[in-house]
Amino acid sequence: MSVWGELLEKCRPVVADAAAFIKRELGTITAEQIEVKEANSLVSYVDKKAEVMLVEGLSKLLPEAGFITEEDVTEDNPSELTWVIDPLDGTTNFLHGIPFFCVSVALRRGKETLIGIVHEAVRDEVFTASIGEGSFLGKRKLQIKHGDLADALIATGFPYGSESYSDAYVAVLQQVMQQARGVRRLGSAALDLAFLAAGRFDGYYEYHLNAYDIAAGALLVTEAGGQVRGFYDADDWFDGRSLIAGPSETVAALQTIIEQCMPRL
C-alpha cells in the first residue's frame, strides 16, 4: 500500500464520524435553523458542525495541509497539499428528509488528486480511491461500465444562479433524454460520481459546480477506469465549474451534445 493509501485508511474514521453525526441529525432540523446562503442554496448547523469535525480530524493527520471547504469554518488556504471538503453534499435532500446525501473529502497536491472518500450517510456506503490503486466500495474494486449512449443511464444536476444559460442547458437535457436510456437528477454530485464509478450510472454531466462537489468523486471515476473533463477544456474540470464523466465513448457523446447545444458562455 502506498503512503496515500495508508493516509486514506487513517481518514476513514474521521469521515465516518462526520457521516454518523449527520445521520443522527436527520429529521431534527427546524425551519428556524436553516440559513439561505444564496438562491436555492441552504445550510444548517449540521453542515457547519460536520465541517468542524472534518477540519479538526484531518488537521491532526496532516498538519501541514491547507483546506478548501464549502462552509468556510476555516479560511480557505490552498497549500502544496490541500484538503477539499464538502461536509454535506446534498443539503437540500437532507433538509427535506430525502435519504441521498454524503460527506466528500479529497486531498490534492497541485492539480493532482491523491485520495478521495465519498461516505453516503444513510446506507453507510463508503466509496474510496487513492491515486494509482483503484476505486473501491468497501472492499469491492470498482470498474466503469462501457457502452453506447443509447444504453446509458445518465446522471446530471440542474444549475441555478443565472438565467443566462438556462435555455441552453435545457436543450442539452432534451438531447440527452432523446439519445440515452434515461436521465436521473438525485441532488448530490459527489454521490452521482461515486455511483458512476460503481457502475450504477453510465455517465454524468453538470454545469455550475464547485471544486468541493467533485474533487473526491472525480478520482473515484478515473481510478475506476473512466474519464473526467470540463465542458469546454478537457483539463479545466476542477476550477472550470463544469464536468463530464464516464467511459470514453459516453464522455465523447455528451461533449458533442454540449458543444452543439451550449456554446461556451
Side-chain angles (χ1 to χ4, degrees), residues 135-159:
S135 294
F136 295 83
L137 170 53
K139 294 183 179 180
R140 178 170 67 89
K141 191 167 186 178
L142 303 180
Q143 180 64 48
I144 287 281
K145 291 196 304 184
H146 287 261
D148 295 330
L149 182 60
D151 299 320
L153 181 62
I154 303 298
T156 190
F158 302 145

Tab-separated table of all heavy atoms in Angstrom, residues 135-159:
chain	number	residue	atom	x	y	z
A	135	SER	N	-10.395	2.250	-7.310
A	135	SER	CA	-11.555	2.721	-6.562
A	135	SER	C	-12.269	1.534	-5.937
A	135	SER	O	-12.326	0.448	-6.536
A	135	SER	CB	-12.536	3.463	-7.480
A	135	SER	OG	-11.984	4.658	-7.967
A	136	PHE	N	-12.867	1.767	-4.777
A	136	PHE	CA	-13.489	0.672	-4.038
A	136	PHE	C	-14.797	1.129	-3.404
A	136	PHE	O	-14.940	2.283	-2.983
A	136	PHE	CB	-12.556	0.157	-2.946
A	136	PHE	CG	-11.307	-0.479	-3.460
A	136	PHE	CD1	-10.202	0.297	-3.812
A	136	PHE	CD2	-11.223	-1.854	-3.625
A	136	PHE	CE1	-9.039	-0.288	-4.299
A	136	PHE	CE2	-10.064	-2.449	-4.120
A	136	PHE	CZ	-8.980	-1.662	-4.455
A	137	LEU	N	-15.733	0.208	-3.317
A	137	LEU	CA	-16.909	0.341	-2.467
A	137	LEU	C	-16.733	-0.701	-1.375
A	137	LEU	O	-16.863	-1.904	-1.622
A	137	LEU	CB	-18.197	0.101	-3.247
A	137	LEU	CG	-19.484	-0.020	-2.423
A	137	LEU	CD1	-19.667	1.164	-1.483
A	137	LEU	CD2	-20.698	-0.172	-3.343
A	138	GLY	N	-16.390	-0.244	-0.172
A	138	GLY	CA	-15.957	-1.195	0.837
A	138	GLY	C	-14.682	-1.871	0.366
A	138	GLY	O	-13.695	-1.221	0.043
A	139	LYS	N	-14.719	-3.197	0.239
A	139	LYS	CA	-13.560	-3.942	-0.253
A	139	LYS	C	-13.703	-4.344	-1.716
A	139	LYS	O	-12.798	-4.981	-2.269
A	139	LYS	CB	-13.355	-5.193	0.609
A	139	LYS	CG	-12.975	-4.872	2.050
A	139	LYS	CD	-12.705	-6.147	2.840
A	139	LYS	CE	-12.298	-5.815	4.278
A	139	LYS	NZ	-12.025	-7.042	5.063
A	140	ARG	N	-14.819	-3.991	-2.329
A	140	ARG	CA	-15.059	-4.378	-3.729
A	140	ARG	C	-14.449	-3.352	-4.677
A	140	ARG	O	-14.772	-2.175	-4.618
A	140	ARG	CB	-16.559	-4.507	-4.009
A	140	ARG	CG	-16.881	-4.854	-5.462
A	140	ARG	CD	-18.339	-5.218	-5.628
A	140	ARG	NE	-19.222	-4.102	-5.416
A	140	ARG	CZ	-19.604	-3.247	-6.382
A	140	ARG	NH1	-19.122	-3.374	-7.615
A	140	ARG	NH2	-20.451	-2.274	-6.118
A	141	LYS	N	-13.568	-3.810	-5.550
A	141	LYS	CA	-12.949	-2.913	-6.524
A	141	LYS	C	-13.962	-2.548	-7.595
A	141	LYS	O	-14.733	-3.384	-8.063
A	141	LYS	CB	-11.720	-3.562	-7.158
A	141	LYS	CG	-10.884	-2.577	-7.969
A	141	LYS	CD	-9.529	-3.145	-8.328
A	141	LYS	CE	-8.668	-2.087	-9.011
A	141	LYS	NZ	-7.306	-2.591	-9.340
A	142	LEU	N	-13.953	-1.280	-7.997
A	142	LEU	CA	-14.941	-0.755	-8.921
A	142	LEU	C	-14.373	-0.628	-10.330
A	142	LEU	O	-13.183	-0.397	-10.525
A	142	LEU	CB	-15.429	0.621	-8.440
A	142	LEU	CG	-16.022	0.648	-7.030
A	142	LEU	CD1	-16.473	2.055	-6.677
A	142	LEU	CD2	-17.179	-0.338	-6.906
A	143	GLN	N	-15.274	-0.757	-11.304
A	143	GLN	CA	-14.894	-0.651	-12.708
A	143	GLN	C	-16.020	0.043	-13.466
A	143	GLN	O	-17.167	-0.382	-13.392
A	143	GLN	CB	-14.643	-2.030	-13.319
A	143	GLN	CG	-14.254	-2.007	-14.779
A	143	GLN	CD	-12.916	-1.310	-15.020
A	143	GLN	OE1	-11.942	-1.587	-14.340
A	143	GLN	NE2	-12.875	-0.400	-15.987
A	144	ILE	N	-15.678	1.113	-14.164
A	144	ILE	CA	-16.643	1.826	-15.005
A	144	ILE	C	-17.227	0.880	-16.050
A	144	ILE	O	-16.521	0.060	-16.627
A	144	ILE	CB	-15.946	3.014	-15.715
A	144	ILE	CG1	-15.665	4.135	-14.706
A	144	ILE	CG2	-16.761	3.533	-16.886
A	144	ILE	CD1	-16.849	4.993	-14.365
A	145	LYS	N	-18.524	1.006	-16.307
A	145	LYS	CA	-19.153	0.249	-17.389
A	145	LYS	C	-18.976	0.986	-18.710
A	145	LYS	O	-19.061	2.205	-18.767
A	145	LYS	CB	-20.652	0.073	-17.117
A	145	LYS	CG	-20.987	-0.845	-15.968
A	145	LYS	CD	-22.447	-1.278	-16.013
A	145	LYS	CE	-23.401	-0.117	-16.043
A	145	LYS	NZ	-24.812	-0.548	-16.003
A	146	HIS	N	-18.745	0.228	-19.781
A	146	HIS	CA	-18.622	0.801	-21.114
A	146	HIS	C	-19.852	0.445	-21.941
A	146	HIS	O	-20.454	-0.612	-21.762
A	146	HIS	CB	-17.357	0.290	-21.810
A	146	HIS	CG	-16.105	0.886	-21.256
A	146	HIS	ND1	-15.464	1.943	-21.853
A	146	HIS	CD2	-15.392	0.589	-20.139
A	146	HIS	CE1	-14.399	2.264	-21.135
A	146	HIS	NE2	-14.338	1.456	-20.092
A	147	GLY	N	-20.211	1.346	-22.851
A	147	GLY	CA	-21.360	1.103	-23.708
A	147	GLY	C	-21.747	2.365	-24.446
A	147	GLY	O	-21.186	3.444	-24.225
A	148	ASP	N	-22.694	2.244	-25.343
A	148	ASP	CA	-23.153	3.379	-26.133
A	148	ASP	C	-24.093	4.259	-25.319
A	148	ASP	O	-24.749	3.796	-24.374
A	148	ASP	CB	-23.882	2.884	-27.388
A	148	ASP	CG	-22.982	2.126	-28.337
A	148	ASP	OD1	-21.768	2.443	-28.365
A	148	ASP	OD2	-23.472	1.218	-29.033
A	149	LEU	N	-24.199	5.513	-25.723
A	149	LEU	CA	-25.104	6.443	-25.048
A	149	LEU	C	-26.537	5.920	-25.084
A	149	LEU	O	-27.297	6.121	-24.126
A	149	LEU	CB	-25.018	7.834	-25.696
A	149	LEU	CG	-25.869	8.929	-25.059
A	149	LEU	CD1	-25.491	9.142	-23.596
A	149	LEU	CD2	-25.743	10.237	-25.850
A	150	ALA	N	-26.912	5.242	-26.145
A	150	ALA	CA	-28.282	4.728	-26.265
A	150	ALA	C	-28.631	3.748	-25.155
A	150	ALA	O	-29.813	3.573	-24.813
A	150	ALA	CB	-28.467	4.056	-27.620
A	151	ASP	N	-27.628	3.117	-24.566
A	151	ASP	CA	-27.854	2.142	-23.496
A	151	ASP	C	-27.535	2.705	-22.117
A	151	ASP	O	-27.568	1.969	-21.123
A	151	ASP	CB	-26.989	0.906	-23.737
A	151	ASP	CG	-27.317	0.207	-25.044
A	151	ASP	OD1	-28.507	0.105	-25.375
A	151	ASP	OD2	-26.364	-0.212	-25.735
A	152	ALA	N	-27.252	3.994	-22.055
A	152	ALA	CA	-26.710	4.585	-20.833
A	152	ALA	C	-27.781	5.238	-19.963
A	152	ALA	O	-28.707	5.880	-20.467
A	152	ALA	CB	-25.647	5.619	-21.190
A	153	LEU	N	-27.608	5.090	-18.654
A	153	LEU	CA	-28.369	5.850	-17.672
A	153	LEU	C	-27.469	6.990	-17.205
A	153	LEU	O	-26.406	6.755	-16.626
A	153	LEU	CB	-28.775	4.962	-16.494
A	153	LEU	CG	-29.612	5.627	-15.394
A	153	LEU	CD1	-30.945	6.114	-15.949
A	153	LEU	CD2	-29.833	4.677	-14.230
A	154	ILE	N	-27.898	8.218	-17.467
A	154	ILE	CA	-27.071	9.399	-17.263
A	154	ILE	C	-27.539	10.172	-16.039
A	154	ILE	O	-28.738	10.395	-15.860
A	154	ILE	CB	-27.115	10.318	-18.500
A	154	ILE	CG1	-26.661	9.567	-19.757
A	154	ILE	CG2	-26.251	11.561	-18.276
A	154	ILE	CD1	-25.237	9.074	-19.712
A	155	ALA	N	-26.604	10.588	-15.206
A	155	ALA	CA	-26.894	11.450	-14.066
A	155	ALA	C	-26.524	12.887	-14.411
A	155	ALA	O	-25.574	13.141	-15.163
A	155	ALA	CB	-26.100	10.995	-12.841
A	156	THR	N	-27.281	13.824	-13.860
A	156	THR	CA	-26.986	15.234	-14.074
A	156	THR	C	-27.491	16.034	-12.889
A	156	THR	O	-28.044	15.494	-11.924
A	156	THR	CB	-27.617	15.746	-15.379
A	156	THR	OG1	-27.111	17.063	-15.663
A	156	THR	CG2	-29.131	15.805	-15.287
A	157	GLY	N	-27.272	17.326	-12.932
A	157	GLY	CA	-27.820	18.245	-11.946
A	157	GLY	C	-28.308	19.479	-12.661
A	157	GLY	O	-27.875	19.777	-13.781
A	158	PHE	N	-29.223	20.199	-12.038
A	158	PHE	CA	-29.782	21.400	-12.645
A	158	PHE	C	-29.145	22.621	-12.001
A	158	PHE	O	-29.323	22.859	-10.803
A	158	PHE	CB	-31.297	21.441	-12.471
A	158	PHE	CG	-31.993	20.246	-13.050
A	158	PHE	CD1	-33.110	19.720	-12.443
A	158	PHE	CD2	-31.524	19.631	-14.203
A	158	PHE	CE1	-33.759	18.615	-12.979
A	158	PHE	CE2	-32.152	18.525	-14.742
A	158	PHE	CZ	-33.274	18.015	-14.122
A	159	PRO	N	-28.399	23.413	-12.759
A	159	PRO	CA	-27.712	24.570	-12.185
A	159	PRO	C	-28.692	25.673	-11.826
A	159	PRO	O	-29.803	25.741	-12.340
A	159	PRO	CB	-26.772	25.009	-13.316
A	159	PRO	CG	-27.459	24.557	-14.560
A	159	PRO	CD	-28.154	23.273	-14.202
